[in-house]
Amino acid sequence: MFEKKVQNGDRVIELGDSGDYFYVVDSGKLDCYILIGGEEKKVATYDNTGAFGELALMYGTPRAATIVATEECILWALDRTTFRQLVLVTTMKKREMYEKFLNDIPMLQELESYERMNLSDALVTTKYKSGDAIIKQGEEAEAFFIIEKGTCVVKVKDTFSSQHTNEEVEVSQLNSGEYFGDWRCCSRNLEQPPFTRLLTLDCAVLDIKAFERLLGPCLDIMSRNVANYEKQLTDLFGEVSLEDLRR
C-alpha cells in the first residue's frame, strides 16, 4: 500500500475506467456519483472513513462510479495484483475452515463438492452471548443458522394448552452441527415457528437469499423436518401444527 494525496476537485476514479487500485480513506471527504437516467448523481459521501474501488478489481469490470474529492484528502492505495492475492488467500482460508465442518453435517451430503464450496463462501460466522435471543417467534425469515460451537435452546410460547400462559416453554436443545431457521426459510409465507434462545454460541449464518440460491438440493430434507417440529409441539401441547403459530 502507498499513500496518495488528492486535492479538492480531484476525480480519484472515473465511471467506466478500468480499475487499477483499491482505496482506503485516511482523512478528508469524497463524494460518490453513479449514472442514473443518463446523468451522474451523488449517492454517497466518504467522510474521513471508508473504502472504495474493490468491485472493478474483484470482477474485472469497468468502474461503476466516479469518486470526487471535496477537500484535501489522504488515501491509501493497493494495486490490483496485491488486492486480488489478498482476497484469494482470505477466501481459501475461509473455505478450508468450513470444509470439514460442512462435510460432517448429514443434510449437506446432498450437495456436490462445488456447491459446498459456494456455501462456505456465503457463510458468515456470528457469535452470540448466553441469553441472546437469536431469532424470535413471529419474526419473518432473514437467515439460516448452522451451529459451529455451543448449545442452543428452542422455546415456544404456550398459546396452545388449556392454561394459555403465553410463557416460553423449552421444546429441545440443539448442539454443534445442528441447524435452525430452515422451516421459516422454506415457508416464508408463514410466521416464525418456535425458536431460539441461548447458551453461548458460534453460528455460521446464511442470509435468506443465499439460502434459496445455494440449498435447493437440501430443501426436501428440511421440509421433512417439519413433521419433527410438529411432533415436539404435540408432545407439549396436544394436537397442534406449525400453522397454528400464525394465530
Side-chain angles (χ1 to χ4, degrees), residues 53-118:
E54 71 278 9
L55 295 180
L57 302 187
M58 290 174 66
Y59 302 112
T61 57
R63 295 293 196 188
T66 295
I67 305 293
V68 181
T70 57
E71 62 183 39
E72 184 176 325
C73 303
I74 296 177
L75 310 176
W76 290 92
L78 186 67
D79 68 89
R80 174 198 293 269
T81 301
T82 305
F83 176 84
R84 290 177 70 95
Q85 288 174 342
L86 290 173
V87 170
L88 180 62
V89 168
T90 302
T91 299
M92 291 306 296
K93 285 183 177 178
K94 182 180 179 183
R95 285 179 180 174
E96 290 172 1
M97 177 182 73
Y98 280 122
E99 184 176 9
K100 184 178 186 305
F101 173 69
L102 295 178
N103 284 341
D104 290 340
I105 298 176
M107 175 192 69
L108 299 182
Q109 301 309 308
E110 296 292 319
L111 299 178
E112 299 292 339
S113 59
Y114 76 91
E115 291 175 316
R116 281 195 293 273
M117 180 182 70
N118 290 336

Side-chain angles (χ1 to χ4, degrees), residues 74-169:
I74 296 177
L75 310 176
W76 290 92
L78 186 67
D79 68 89
R80 174 198 293 269
T81 301
T82 305
F83 176 84
R84 290 177 70 95
Q85 288 174 342
L86 290 173
V87 170
L88 180 62
V89 168
T90 302
T91 299
M92 291 306 296
K93 285 183 177 178
K94 182 180 179 183
R95 285 179 180 174
E96 290 172 1
M97 177 182 73
Y98 280 122
E99 184 176 9
K100 184 178 186 305
F101 173 69
L102 295 178
N103 284 341
D104 290 340
I105 298 176
M107 175 192 69
L108 299 182
Q109 301 309 308
E110 296 292 319
L111 299 178
E112 299 292 339
S113 59
Y114 76 91
E115 291 175 316
R116 281 195 293 273
M117 180 182 70
N118 290 336
L119 175 58
S120 68
D121 289 345
L123 290 170
V124 177
T125 295
T126 305
K127 296 182 180 293
Y128 297 94
K129 296 176 296 190
S130 179
D132 283 351
I134 302 171
I135 57 180
K136 297 178 181 178
Q137 186 174 330
E139 289 182 342
E140 292 184 358
E142 293 180 354
F144 170 70
F145 301 81
I146 303 173
I147 300 174
E148 294 182 32
K149 180 173 63 177
T151 301
C152 187
V153 171
V154 181
K155 296 184 177 181
V156 59
K157 291 181 180 179
D158 177 10
T159 58
F160 310 109
S161 69
S162 57
Q163 288 79 20
H164 292 284
T165 64
N166 207 40
E167 294 181 356
E168 289 185 338
V169 178

Side-chain angles (χ1 to χ4, degrees), residues 4 7 12 39 41 50 55 62-63 65-66 72 75 125 129 137 149 161 172 177 195 212-213 222 225 228 240:
K4 180 181 176 69
Q7 304 301 316
V12 182
E39 297 181 7
K41 295 186 179 181
L55 295 180
R63 295 293 196 188
T66 295
E72 184 176 325
L75 310 176
T125 295
K129 296 176 296 190
Q137 186 174 330
K149 180 173 63 177
S161 69
S172 64
F195 272 117
E212 293 172 339
R213 185 177 75 253
M222 293 179 183
N225 286 337
N228 294 332
V240 63

Side-chain angles (χ1 to χ4, degrees), residues 13-19 56 61-64:
I13 65 175
E14 193 81 36
L15 179 71
D17 284 355
S18 59
T61 57
R63 295 293 196 188

